[in-house]
Amino acid sequence: MKIAIGADHAGYSAKKEVICFLEGNGYSVTDVGAFSEESVDYPDIALKVADMVASHKDDRGILFCGTGIGVSITANKTPGIRAALCSSIVLAKLSRRHNDANILAIGARFHTVKEMISIIKVWLETPFDGGRHTNRINKIEKLT
Ligand code: RB5
């Protein structure tokens, strides 16, 4: 699976740790930045990850900012993107099972690295349930 990953300054350190985890577990990673803790605007990063996923250059995206809110709001402006801000394993699982979320947003200031990796692992490994949820996803697609 190919994953696009991005973070603003608030998520920079989390992103570094998560890239190590992903590459160590056989995932291919496209890192769109930020590449330091210097302040950047999260919409610039979120749009890059959203573009990589919407254009199918990568299969899924992971985004970090301080709260996860800014990057999720931004990513969801791109047609074809279903970005889910998940603060727990159960939400990560449901965002895949029910919403077929293709981008995971995480608030880096609210989790330990261990928690974030647990959330990410479940999110990457959980398939979409399909069935009645497909019709709902299709209705979302028609909005963009
Ligand atoms: C940056 O300070 C912060 O505003 C950003 O990381 C994010 O939390 C915005 O939603």
Side-chain angles (χ1 to χ4, degrees), residues 18-66:
V18 167
I19 288 173
C20 277
F21 163 77
L22 292 171
E23 291 183 336
N25 284 273
Y27 291 99
S28 153
V29 176
T30 308
D31 183 1
V32 307
F35 299 109
S36 78
E37 279 179 346
E38 196 179 318
S39 183
V40 290
D41 296 332
Y42 61 79
D44 299 333
I45 300 290
L47 277 178
K48 283 185 189 169
V49 167
D51 282 347
M52 294 302 284
V53 176
S55 63
H56 303 290
K57 290 186 184 117
D58 286 298
D59 304 304
R60 303 262 196 97
I62 300 175
L63 279 165
F64 303 90
C65 66

Side-chain angles (χ1 to χ4, degrees), residues 8-11 39-40 42 64-71 109-110:
D8 72 354
H9 50 284
S39 183
V40 290
Y42 61 79
F64 303 90
C65 66
T67 59
I69 296 171
V71 288
R109 287 182 175 144
F110 294 85

Side-chain angles (χ1 to χ4, degrees), residues 4 6 13 25 35 44 59 94 102 121-122 136-137 140 143:
S13 147
N25 284 273
F35 299 109
D44 299 333
D59 304 304
L94 287 170
N102 51 14
K121 194 171 179 313
V122 163
R136 296 163 185 171
I137 300 299
I140 296 172
L143 299 174

